[in-house]
Structure formats: C-alpha cells, structure tokens
Amino acid sequence: MTRLMLGRTLERICKGVLLLCLLHFLIMMILYFDVYSQRFDLFSRFNNGRNGSRTNVSGAAGSGHHYYYYNLSRPNATLASYLATGEQLVPSVQPETNQTPSPKPLPPCPENPPGLVGRLLIEFSSQMTMERVQRENPNVTDGGRYTPPDCRPRWKVAIIIPFRHRENHLKYWLHYLHPILRRQRIDYGIYIINQLGEETFNRAKLLNVGYTETLKDAEYDCFIFSDVDLIPMDDRNLYHCYDQPRHFAIAMDKFGFRLPYAGYFGGVSGLSKKQFLKINGFPNEYWGWGGEDDDIYNRITLNGMKVSRPDVRIGRYRMIKHERDKHNEPNPQRFNKIQNTKNTMKKDGISSLTYRLVQVKRYPLYTDISVEIGKPPPRPIKG
C-alpha cells in the first residue's frame, strides 16, 4: 500500500514538472515570436496581413503603386514597448521591382580601333556629287556630326576647314574623310569657315573664327585644322588630339612624301583647347598665302611645347591639284612677321579676333559658317 501511494505521488510530481516545463516553453516561444513578429509575420494586425501580404497604396500623380511595411525590428524592442510609448509605426518604402533598368555606360573607345584599313587608294578622277557622299554616310547627322554608338571617345573633335570657292574639292574631302573618321571611332563635327567677299584670303584668321564658332555649337576639347585639298592616305593617322600639338600632314605627294623642313606645320594640324589657348590661338595678320603656319610653329616652341608627328609611312597625304586662288597671292611681309612672333603673339591672336558672323547653315554632311573678316591694312609705300 505504501509503495502504491509513493508511486502515485511520484507520477503526480513528474506530471507537474512536465506541465511546468511545457508552460515555460510556451512562454518563451510567445516572447520569442513577439520580439521577431515582423520577421516571422505572425502578427498580421500590425504587419498588414498574414503570409507576407502588404497594403497596396497608390502613388501620387499616376506614379504607379508603392508597397509599405511597418518596421518593428528595432534591436531589443518588443511590440508592447511600441504600444506603451505611443510611437507611431512609420512606413518604409519597399523598392519597386518593375522599374526599367538604367542602360550600362559605354566602354571607352579603343586606342587602336579594330576596323581600320591602313593604306588607302586615293584618286580624284571619278565624278563626285554631294548626293553620292550623303548616301555613303547615312549615320552622319545634320551639320556633319557623328558619335560612335558602341563606345565613348576620349576627345570631342571639331574639324575646321578654311574655305572659299572650293566646292569641288569639298566633295572629295567629305567623300574620303567621313568614312575614315567613323572607322577611327571619332566623336566629331565638320565646319566650313567660309570667307565672304573677294578681299585677300586669311587662312589663320578663319581658323580662329572656326575655334570661336564651333565652341558655340558644342563643348569641343580638340580642334583639327585642315586644308580642303588634302586627303590622308592612311586611316591609321588618327584625327584626335595628343599630349603635344600634332602635325598630321608630314608627307605630302607635292613634296615627294617628305617633310619639307623641320619647322613645317602646314596642311593639317591639331591642338587641344588648352594648347590652343596657351599660344593665344593663331595670328590674324597674315593676309595672303604663306607664313602663318611657321608663325604657329614658333608660338608652340616659344611656349615650351613640342610638335608631335605620326610615322612618315602613316602621315602621307595626296593633294588635289589646282591653280592658285585669286586674292591669295604670296604675302611679301611673311618673312618679317615670322621673325617677330615672340613680340606679336601675346597681342595678335584669339584675344584680338574681330569678325562679323553672317550665316550659320547646317547641311547633311557639314556646317557652313560664313563670315566677313575685313581686309588687310594698306601696305607701306616703299621709299
């Protein structure tokens, strides 16, 4: 009898301990789920519905739907503490999942574009028309602008051509240069600086005008100055700027594909914006043919820079043969002026440029900028 009573007592004690353990377990679970109620989404009353459902609220001004959820996951906080302090449940914005992804940035254009051909056959015997050139270059936009669609060029290049009465030469220049520049992955625009009237031609002043006017059209940082009758014979002669002022046309056919002399800087050259301003641009007082390119070379060297050139096998050019233009006779004062570059370059240049803009007209393959630049001062009478 005593054993039976002892057994029942032990059985009751075990059941009581088991019940206490179970109660303790339930209390711990309740506290656990209370603290992490948002994470486990059990308290749908405060978490906008069971099983992760959230309130759908329309955005303002037709901006679509935005989803909100209440943030109860502050460390060491429980639901009771929020209610006791009277804090408001602040909605947090859930990122939308249906937004259009932003396009990936384009990679830099390669220094050596893979589509280059190399040596080119240049000839001027076939008939050339603007309509043909336009058909050949459908990706060139109005004003003669082009930007590579698949890469990001380092330079934004303005190609500036001093011009008067050379319409036939311009057709050939555009025919050859547009495809070359596109293969070189150049971001460029082509600008014809047309000197109106029949006064003496002034190449360097027109180039200063081109620099000034092209900057009104776009934020160019590189400027290539080219005569309209010079065509490169190799597309590896890249038309962009370099660490030093660049002379591109170093081996013309009219000079036997040789550099005529060490200080020659004529035909086709290029300067960055910083380099151009450092030499105060080009001289404005060289009226007629010759001398201005030597003055520019002097400006470069006097300002501590050096002329860079391509390999002679790459810097070859063909010139379109023609008679000397009227009102572009050799300048008899050019030799005296060249000797005085050091004294004149600070006061004669882009800082002293004057002209009258008459018209800017955009054609499919180039931009025409027509200007009046005045006339040369009277020459001193020989006594």
Side-chain angles (χ1 to χ4, degrees):
M1 187 67 180
T2 303
R3 289 182 178 180
L4 181 60
M5 292 179 64
L6 181 61
R8 289 180 178 176
T9 302
L10 290 175
E11 182 181 0
R12 290 173 183 167
I13 293 172
C14 290
K15 288 182 180 180
V17 171
L18 182 62
L19 288 174
L20 287 174
C21 290
L22 181 60
L23 180 61
H24 181 268
F25 176 79
L26 290 174
I27 293 173
M28 293 298 296
M29 290 300 295
I30 291 173
L31 291 175
Y32 179 86
F33 286 126
D34 185 19
V35 174
Y36 296 95
S37 59
Q38 180 199 4
R39 184 175 299 176
F40 292 95
D41 205 17
L42 294 178
F43 293 88
S44 59
R45 173 181 175 185
F46 298 98
N47 207 28
N48 298 312
R50 300 177 69 114
N51 299 325
S53 64
R54 292 181 172 90
T55 304
N56 190 349
V57 182
S58 296
S63 60
H65 297 292
H66 302 278
Y67 298 95
Y68 300 98
Y69 64 94
Y70 295 105
N71 185 359
L72 299 178
S73 59
R74 194 170 64 186
N76 303 321
T78 64
L79 178 62
S81 67
Y82 279 93
L83 296 177
T85 58
E87 284 189 45
Q88 294 182 353
L89 303 178
V90 181
S92 302
V93 179
Q94 182 83 338
E96 292 186 16
T97 58
N98 60 346
Q99 292 181 349
T100 303
S102 58
K104 294 182 179 179
L106 293 175
C109 291
E111 293 185 6
N112 297 305
L116 298 180
V117 177
R119 188 69 62 86
L120 304 171
L121 176 63
I122 307 297
E123 59 87 20
F124 309 115
S125 58
S126 60
Q127 186 69 23
M128 190 61 57
T129 65
M130 283 295 185
E131 291 74 19
R132 173 183 169 181
V133 180
Q134 190 173 350
R135 288 195 303 270
E136 294 170 344
N137 299 277
N139 296 326
V140 175
T141 60
D142 280 350
R145 300 284 297 274
Y146 175 80
T147 301
D150 56 350
C151 63
R152 186 179 70 258
R154 176 184 176 186
W155 299 97
K156 193 173 186 67
V157 182
I159 301 177
I160 298 170
I161 301 176
F163 189 86
R164 186 168 65 180
H165 307 323
R166 295 285 195 92
E167 286 77 11
N168 190 52
H169 293 176
L170 180 60
K171 296 173 188 177
Y172 287 104
W173 193 95
L174 295 169
H175 166 70
Y176 285 112
L177 265 296
H178 269 305
I180 289 174
L181 296 169
R182 287 189 287 111
R183 289 198 298 272
Q184 291 182 355
R185 301 289 215 282
I186 304 294
D187 181 355
Y188 70 89
I190 293 175
Y191 298 86
I192 307 303
I193 315 302
N194 183 28
Q195 179 176 336
L196 297 176
E198 298 300 327
E199 294 291 346
T200 305
F201 194 69
N202 190 325
R203 177 179 182 270
K205 189 170 185 178
L206 290 174
L207 298 180
N208 279 340
V209 172
Y211 171 86
T212 303
E213 290 297 323
T214 56
L215 283 175
K216 298 176 183 178
D217 196 35
E219 294 183 0
Y220 292 109
D221 53 7
C222 176
F223 302 85
I224 307 295
F225 306 97
S226 174
D227 290 343
V228 73
D229 55 3
L230 287 175
I231 311 297
M233 300 178 66
D234 196 309
D235 62 2
R236 292 172 295 179
N237 195 358
L238 301 179
Y239 272 38
H240 59 69
C241 286
Y242 297 77
D243 293 336
Q244 298 291 333
R246 188 76 164 181
H247 183 215
F248 296 94
I250 66 169
M252 300 182 197
D253 55 354
K254 78 167 186 175
F255 295 135
F257 295 109
R258 296 185 182 91
L259 192 68
Y261 52 92
Y264 183 65
F265 198 68
V268 185
S269 58
L271 291 90
S272 69
K273 184 177 181 180
K274 182 178 180 180
Q275 294 163 357
F276 186 88
L277 294 176
K278 188 173 183 179
I279 66 171
N280 192 25
F282 300 156
N284 297 310
E285 299 303 324
Y286 282 81
W287 298 90
W289 180 87
E292 80 286 344
D293 47 355
D294 295 316
D295 191 294
I296 297 167
Y297 181 88
N298 289 343
R299 291 173 180 237
I300 291 170
T301 56
L302 288 169
N303 281 278
M305 294 184 287
K306 296 180 180 180
V307 171
S308 66
R309 295 186 170 105
D311 186 277
V312 69
R313 294 167 295 181
I314 292 177
R316 295 162 65 95
Y317 279 75
R318 281 205 65 184
M319 175 179 281
I320 306 174
K321 294 181 180 180
H322 60 91
E323 299 294 329
R324 187 178 298 281
D325 300 324
K326 293 182 179 180
H327 307 292
N328 193 28
E329 294 77 15
N331 181 358
Q333 299 176 331
R334 63 187 185 275
F335 299 110
N336 291 333
K337 288 182 176 295
I338 293 169
Q339 295 175 359
N340 291 298
T341 303
K342 186 175 182 180
N343 300 323
T344 59
M345 65 180 182
K346 296 297 183 182
K347 57 185 178 181
D348 176 24
I350 194 67
S351 61
S352 62
L353 177 65
T354 59
Y355 64 96
R356 190 174 79 87
L357 178 64
V358 176
Q359 175 183 272
V360 177
K361 189 170 183 180
R362 301 183 191 280
Y363 292 93
L365 299 170
Y366 64 95
T367 297
D368 178 278
I369 300 175
S370 296
V371 294
E372 293 177 351
I373 60 173
K375 59 184 179 180
R379 293 177 180 175
I381 300 175
K382 295 180 180 181

